[in-house]
């Protein structure tokens, strides 16, 4: 049934977001999801998940490591067959992408 598939997809996205919240930016002690670095999460029917993300700065010295951390965190979810993390810089990240909780935590509100 279609609503079941949508509910399952929503539940999976919720699990993926929870996994992404375990990955923290090493320069800003905040998880990458609430920091606004995740632009797209797209689970596929075959268990593959495509994720588009960015970095707070293009020259981030741990860029490759963060991509691996994201892949490892999401791959640990039951039913995930593979994860493709794509690094994008368009649109560029800025602090407006952070959740209000993060802005408050960092003294920006």
């Amino acid at each position: 049934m279609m609503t079941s598939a949508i509910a399952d997809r929503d539940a999976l996205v919720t699990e993926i977001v929870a996994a992404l919240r375990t990955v923290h930016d090493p320069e800003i002690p905040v998880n990458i999801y609430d920091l606004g670095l995740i632009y797209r999460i797209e689970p596929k029917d075959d268990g593959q998940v495509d994720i588009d993300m960015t970095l707070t700065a293009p020259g981030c010295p741990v860029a490759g490591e963060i991509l691996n951390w994201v892949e490892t965190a999401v791959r640990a979810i039951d039913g995930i067959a593979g994860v493709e993390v794509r690094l994008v810089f368009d649109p560029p990240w800025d602090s407006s992408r952070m959740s209000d909780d993060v802005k408050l935590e960092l003294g920006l509100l």
Side-chain angles (χ1 to χ4, degrees), residues 25-28 35-37 39 53-64 66-67 87-89 91-95:
D25 184 298
E27 294 179 347
I28 306 170
L35 202 50
L37 299 182
Y39 287 179
M53 69 170 291
T54 195
L55 302 169
T56 54
C60 178
V62 294
I66 290 178
L67 298 181
L87 194 56
V88 296
F89 292 103
W93 179 86
D94 65 50
S95 61

Side-chain angles (χ1 to χ4, degrees), residues 47-80:
Q48 177 72 26
V49 176
D50 293 344
I51 296 174
D52 289 352
M53 69 170 291
T54 195
L55 302 169
T56 54
C60 178
V62 294
E65 290 178 65
I66 290 178
L67 298 181
N68 288 335
W69 298 338
V70 167
E71 181 180 346
T72 299
V74 175
R75 192 181 286 269
I77 298 169
D78 285 343
I80 300 293

Side-chain angles (χ1 to χ4, degrees), residues 9 15 38 41 49 54:
R9 180 184 167 94
E15 277 191 78
I38 302 299
I41 300 169
V49 176
T54 195

